[in-house]
Amino acid sequence: MPDGARPVLEVDGLKTIFKTRGGEVHAVNSVSFELRPGELLGVVGESGSGKSVTMMSLIGLLPSPPAEVRKGSVSFDGIDLLASDEDTLREVRGPGIGFIFQDPMTSLNPVFTVGYQLREPLIKHMGMSKSQAQLRAQELLELVGIPDAARRLKDYPHQFSGGMRQRVMIAIALACDPKVLIADEPTTALDVTIQAQILELVKDLRHKLGMAIIWITHDLGVIAGIADRVMVMYGGQIVEHAPARELFARPRHPYTRALLKTVPSVRGAREARLNVIEGQPPILWAAPISCAFRARCPHAIDLCSIQNPPRFNVGPGHDAACFWDFDKDGPRDV
């Protein structure tokens, strides 16, 4: 990643809600971050922490209603995506920002061949003829490691294994040479061998193509091996943000520390129990006015119940939204 390079993506104060019969669910609350060219940003947190909703909000992929992006700005190459119309967003999706969804079987259309689904964005966004798009589609399948690519273009999604379908999804996301690739837990449903292959593929493509990547996952082990920076989310907010090595060496939010303790150790005793985070993530029926993690936190203090902690700077490029100061093992001076 070039030092001092201008961000390719800037998100400021993003807020997304869902309107339900029971009221409004505040799924994303004042999320701000930036992404630089060639950088890989890891986004981690439990299910329901707001990871996927945040990234889908950026390019208008959430159904409206019930979703509504209520506040914020998303700048991509000088374009405010939240202020853009649907036609502009369609032009950004693909050539500007590619998206790999969690489940390739439900994301790929079962009634069209893989070749058709690869050619479609090439013809629409890149202006290729059908024959040009066919050749490029074959190159893309070869790029993501699918053997006998020319023949496999004629196959349907159900004729591919889970790992191969995920490779097809990556090929579609890469078809228009995007500047930013968002990967939404692309290896969650795969066995560990295929997962390792997909991770190596993404790392290789990142270096070959120089794109910036946002990798969403709940697996800290995955992030440790690929990310430059890590953004930890809880209750629809960023609770810690740091360079990857710094985060693993000096976690400064109780939630991050709890997540790290849940990672199984290969050196652990066979009879040892796995660590868990007691309790459940909150359902946010209102914008948070107190710490969302306080009910599960061993370091909660009175202030946590009456004020939502801001993100305090705790090191170079490292901030944490917590009133507890782990450096002095006591409440922070605020």
Side-chain angles (χ1 to χ4, degrees):
M1 179 184 67
D3 290 334
R6 182 178 179 180
V8 66
L9 181 68
E10 295 177 272
V11 179
D12 184 35
L14 182 68
K15 181 174 180 59
T16 302
I17 61 101
F18 286 89
K19 295 180 179 179
T20 71
R21 290 182 179 179
E24 292 183 349
V25 177
H26 294 247
V28 178
N29 297 287
S30 300
V31 166
S32 302
F33 67 92
E34 58 185 35
L35 183 71
R36 300 185 186 279
E39 182 179 36
L40 197 150
L41 173 65
V43 183
V44 300
E46 293 169 284
S47 296
S49 59
K51 307 183 302 297
S52 299
V53 174
T54 296
M55 300 311 159
M56 289 185 180
S57 297
L58 305 184
I59 49 176
L61 289 178
L62 294 173
S64 179
E68 177 188 331
V69 179
R70 185 160 284 177
K71 289 183 182 177
S73 65
V74 178
S75 178
F76 172 75
D77 266 5
I79 303 169
D80 186 349
L81 299 183
L82 298 188
S84 299
D85 58 24
E86 186 60 30
D87 289 338
T88 302
L89 289 176
R90 286 196 189 101
E91 292 304 314
V92 169
R93 298 174 196 141
I97 301 176
F99 206 107
I100 305 172
F101 295 92
Q102 285 189 36
D103 186 353
M105 199 59 215
T106 57
S107 301
L108 292 169
N109 194 320
V111 302
F112 291 110
T113 64
V114 161
Y116 176 88
Q117 295 180 68
L118 272 165
R119 291 193 303 270
E120 186 179 28
L122 294 168
I123 294 170
K124 178 174 176 57
H125 293 295
M126 308 297 281
M128 293 185 181
S129 66
K130 186 174 179 179
S131 59
Q132 289 173 325
Q134 181 74 6
L135 287 173
R136 177 58 177 157
Q138 181 178 332
E139 290 174 0
L140 286 165
L141 286 192
E142 291 169 350
L143 181 68
V144 297
I146 293 181
D148 199 8
R151 181 181 65 81
R152 298 310 303 268
L153 286 171
K154 302 173 185 177
D155 289 342
Y156 291 84
H158 72 271
Q159 294 175 279
F160 289 76
S161 68
M164 288 297 182
R165 284 196 293 267
Q166 196 59 276
R167 289 171 185 261
V168 170
M169 285 297 301
I170 293 172
I172 293 173
L174 295 174
C176 299
D177 298 327
K179 292 184 177 181
V180 174
L181 178 67
I182 301 175
D184 188 3
E185 302 203 36
T187 61
T188 297
L190 306 179
D191 64 62
V192 291
T193 304
I194 301 301
Q195 182 184 79
Q197 293 175 4
I198 296 293
L199 290 172
E200 285 302 316
L201 170 65
V202 169
K203 286 195 286 186
D204 186 47
L205 292 175
R206 175 194 173 195
H207 292 300
K208 281 183 180 179
L209 305 177
M211 70 178 67
I213 299 175
I214 297 174
W215 189 282
I216 304 169
T217 184
H218 62 269
D219 190 338
L220 285 163
V222 167
I223 284 300
I226 62 173
D228 297 308
R229 288 187 296 124
V230 181
M231 195 166 82
V232 182
M233 293 193 68
Y234 186 83
Q237 302 173 90
I238 300 171
V239 295
E240 188 161 7
H241 182 201
R245 288 188 178 182
E246 169 77 1
L247 184 97
F248 283 89
R250 291 182 66 247
R252 284 300 178 264
H253 193 281
Y255 179 60
T256 308
R257 295 164 76 93
L259 281 178
L260 289 169
K261 287 180 181 177
T262 64
V263 178
S265 172
V266 294
R267 298 191 181 99
R270 184 174 297 179
E271 66 277 7
R273 293 176 63 89
L274 293 175
N275 288 308
V276 298
I277 306 175
E278 299 292 343
Q280 296 293 327
I283 299 175
L284 299 172
W285 296 110
I289 57 173
S290 58
C291 177
F293 190 61
R294 69 187 186 282
R296 309 171 74 186
C297 180
H299 301 286
I301 58 176
D302 291 342
L303 186 58
C304 302
S305 299
I306 58 175
Q307 186 177 335
N308 190 27
R311 285 160 61 183
F312 296 96
N313 184 276
V314 294
H318 189 173
D319 56 67
C322 184
F323 290 125
W324 190 265
D325 188 337
F326 284 96
D327 289 322
K328 68 176 188 179
D329 197 27
R332 193 177 300 280
D333 296 324
V334 292

